[in-house]
Amino acid sequence: MPIKRQYSYIYKIAIKQMGNKKNWHEAHVEGLSFGSRLADSVAKGMGSWRFIVVQTILVVVWMGLNVIGFSNHWDVYPFILLNLLFSTQAAYAAPIIMMSQNRQSERDRIQAQADYQTNIDAKLEIEQLTKKLNAIETDKLDKIITMLEELKK
């Protein structure tokens, strides 16, 4: 059985055993409002190379049309209108990106809490298993001692 198929099989078994409980990420995503999802998608789009390339092309075209343009210069050399557009874009982008970052830090905190809880649960289970193994070992040693004492008689 290939490793990838084996992991998906193990994952399906684990999901069946856990029931259809939602993990912390699924619960968090379902709780997001429309504005939160919009802010996340805007921040994701503005933080991409595609956005940088498209914006660079638009700026070069804007400047080129205004410098080389033969008859209609809507934004002459100091490009005041372009500067205003960039200022407006920055004024809206900064709070949207900060909202998305705040949600990301909240997600990180929730994930850290879930990881901590998992670690505590695992520690408790390991302690229980250790106690069981010690009890089994003690029982076996008692049986061996009893058998040795019977052999001496």
Side-chain angles (χ1 to χ4, degrees):
M1 179 180 285
I3 292 175
K4 191 173 186 179
R5 191 175 302 168
Q6 182 180 2
Y7 282 133
S8 64
Y9 175 72
I10 293 170
Y11 178 76
K12 287 177 186 176
I13 290 174
I15 293 297
K16 284 181 184 178
Q17 289 176 352
M18 290 173 46
N20 288 328
K21 294 180 185 177
K22 295 179 182 175
N23 63 22
W24 64 270
H25 180 70
E26 292 168 345
H28 181 76
V29 169
E30 284 183 0
L32 292 177
S33 66
F34 172 75
S36 297
R37 287 192 307 271
L38 180 64
D40 285 343
S41 64
V42 167
K44 183 178 179 182
M46 291 185 85
S48 68
W49 278 106
R50 180 179 181 190
F51 176 79
I52 292 171
V53 169
V54 168
Q55 185 169 7
T56 302
I57 291 170
L58 290 175
V59 168
V60 169
V61 169
W62 180 288
M63 292 171 141
L65 290 176
N66 279 291
V67 169
I68 301 173
F70 293 108
S71 63
N72 191 7
H73 300 278
W74 68 87
D75 192 16
V76 291
Y77 167 65
F79 306 116
I80 295 172
L81 183 58
L82 182 62
N83 191 12
L84 177 66
L85 291 174
F86 279 142
S87 298
T88 305
Q89 178 188 19
Y92 282 102
I96 290 172
I97 291 170
M98 288 185 70
M99 285 187 288
S100 181
Q101 287 176 336
N102 288 340
R103 266 188 304 287
Q104 181 62 44
S105 67
E106 181 183 344
R107 280 190 295 256
D108 291 345
R109 184 185 55 76
I110 292 169
Q111 182 180 10
Q113 183 63 35
D115 290 346
Y116 178 72
Q117 187 60 46
T118 301
N119 290 341
I120 288 179
D121 294 343
K123 179 184 175 190
L124 292 174
E125 192 169 336
I126 289 170
E127 287 175 356
Q128 289 174 350
L129 288 172
T130 303
K131 287 178 184 177
K132 281 184 179 181
L133 287 174
N134 287 340
I136 290 171
E137 186 176 344
T138 304
D139 288 344
K140 282 186 178 181
L141 287 174
D142 288 343
K143 287 180 183 177
I144 291 172
I145 290 172
T146 306
M147 290 171 65
L148 287 174
E149 287 175 354
E150 289 176 5
L151 285 176
K152 284 184 180 178
K153 292 182 184 183

